[in-house]
Coordinates of all heavy atoms in Angstrom, one line a residue:
E79 N 98.8 105.6 126.3 CA 99.5 105.2 127.5 C 100.8 104.5 127.2 O 101.8 104.7 127.9 CB 98.6 104.3 128.4 CG 97.3 105.0 128.8 CD 96.4 104.1 129.6 OE1 96.8 102.9 129.8 OE2 95.4 104.6 130.1
I80 N 100.8 103.7 126.1 CA 102.0 103.0 125.8 C 102.6 103.6 124.5 O 101.9 103.7 123.5 CB 101.7 101.5 125.5 CG1 101.1 100.9 126.8 CG2 102.9 100.7 125.1 CD1 100.6 99.5 126.6
I81 N 103.8 104.0 124.5 CA 104.5 104.5 123.4 C 105.4 103.5 122.8 O 106.2 102.9 123.4 CB 105.4 105.7 123.8 CG1 104.5 106.8 124.4 CG2 106.1 106.3 122.6 CD1 105.3 108.0 125.0
E82 N 105.1 103.2 121.5 CA 105.8 102.2 120.8 C 107.0 102.8 120.1 O 106.9 103.8 119.4 CB 105.0 101.5 119.7 CG 103.8 100.7 120.3 CD 103.0 100.0 119.3 OE1 103.3 100.2 118.1 OE2 102.0 99.3 119.6
V83 N 108.2 102.3 120.3 CA 109.4 102.8 119.7 C 109.7 101.9 118.5 O 109.9 100.7 118.5 CB 110.6 102.7 120.7 CG1 111.9 103.2 120.0 CG2 110.3 103.5 121.9
V84 N 109.7 102.6 117.3 CA 110.0 101.9 116.0 C 111.4 102.1 115.6 O 111.9 103.2 115.6 CB 109.0 102.4 114.9 CG1 109.3 101.7 113.6 CG2 107.6 102.3 115.4
E85 N 112.1 101.0 115.3 CA 113.5 101.1 114.9 C 113.6 101.7 113.5 O 112.8 101.3 112.6 CB 114.2 99.8 115.0 CG 114.3 99.2 116.5 CD 115.0 97.9 116.5 OE1 115.4 97.4 115.4 OE2 115.1 97.3 117.6
D86 N 114.5 102.6 113.3 CA 114.8 103.2 112.0 C 115.7 102.3 111.2 O 116.9 102.2 111.5 CB 115.4 104.6 112.2 CG 115.4 105.3 110.8 OD1 114.9 104.8 109.9 OD2 116.0 106.4 110.8
E87 N 115.1 101.5 110.3 CA 115.9 100.6 109.5 C 116.2 101.2 108.1 O 116.8 100.5 107.3 CB 115.1 99.3 109.3 CG 114.9 98.6 110.6 CD 114.1 97.3 110.5 OE1 113.7 97.1 109.3 OE2 113.9 96.6 111.4
V88 N 115.7 102.4 107.8 CA 116.0 102.9 106.4 C 117.4 103.5 106.4 O 117.7 104.4 107.3 CB 114.9 104.0 106.1 CG1 115.2 104.6 104.7 CG2 113.5 103.4 106.2
E89 N 118.2 103.1 105.5 CA 119.5 103.6 105.4 C 119.5 104.9 104.6 O 119.0 105.0 103.5 CB 120.5 102.6 104.7 CG 120.6 101.3 105.6 CD 121.6 100.4 104.9 OE1 122.0 100.7 103.8 OE2 121.8 99.3 105.5
V90 N 120.2 105.9 105.1 CA 120.3 107.2 104.4 C 121.6 107.4 103.8 O 122.6 107.2 104.5 CB 120.0 108.4 105.4 CG1 120.1 109.7 104.7 CG2 118.6 108.2 106.0
E91 N 121.7 107.7 102.5 CA 122.9 107.9 101.8 C 123.5 109.2 102.2 O 122.8 110.3 102.0 CB 122.7 107.7 100.3 CG 122.3 106.3 99.9 CD 122.2 106.2 98.4 OE1 122.4 107.3 97.7 OE2 121.8 105.1 97.9
E92 N 124.7 109.2 102.6 CA 125.4 110.5 103.0 C 126.0 111.1 101.7 O 126.6 110.4 100.9 CB 126.4 110.3 104.0 CG 125.9 109.8 105.4 CD 127.0 109.6 106.4 OE1 128.1 109.9 106.0 OE2 126.6 109.3 107.5
T93 N 125.9 112.4 101.6 CA 126.4 113.1 100.5 C 127.9 113.4 100.8 O 128.2 114.1 101.8 CB 125.7 114.4 100.2 OG1 124.3 114.1 100.0 CG2 126.2 115.1 99.0
V94 N 128.7 113.0 99.9 CA 130.2 113.2 100.1 C 130.6 114.4 99.3 O 130.3 114.4 98.0 CB 131.0 111.9 99.7 CG1 132.5 112.2 99.8 CG2 130.5 110.7 100.5
I95 N 131.1 115.4 99.9 CA 131.6 116.6 99.2 C 133.0 116.4 98.8 O 133.9 116.2 99.7 CB 131.4 117.8 100.1 CG1 129.9 118.0 100.5 CG2 131.9 119.1 99.4 CD1 129.7 119.1 101.5
E96 N 133.3 116.4 97.5 CA 134.6 116.2 97.0 C 135.4 117.5 97.2 O 134.9 118.6 97.0 CB 134.6 115.7 95.6 CG 133.9 114.4 95.4 CD 133.9 114.0 93.9 OE1 134.4 114.8 93.1 OE2 133.4 112.9 93.6
S97 N 136.7 117.3 97.4 CA 137.5 118.5 97.6 C 137.9 119.0 96.2 O 138.2 118.2 95.3 CB 138.8 118.1 98.4 OG 139.7 119.1 98.4
T98 N 138.0 120.3 96.1 CA 138.3 120.9 94.8 C 139.8 121.3 94.7 O 140.3 121.9 93.8 CB 137.5 122.2 94.6 OG1 137.7 123.1 95.7 CG2 136.0 121.9 94.5
E99 N 140.5 121.0 95.8 CA 142.0 121.4 95.8 C 142.7 120.4 94.9 O 142.4 119.2 94.9 CB 142.5 121.3 97.2 CG 141.9 122.4 98.1 CD 142.5 122.4 99.5 OE1 143.3 121.5 99.8 OE2 142.0 123.2 100.4

Side-chain angles (χ1 to χ4, degrees):
E79 297 179 357
I80 301 174
I81 300 175
E82 296 180 0
V83 179
V84 180
E85 295 181 359
D86 188 5
E87 297 179 355
V88 181
E89 295 182 358
V90 179
E91 295 182 0
E92 296 182 358
T93 303
V94 179
I95 301 175
E96 297 181 359
S97 176
T98 57
E99 296 181 0

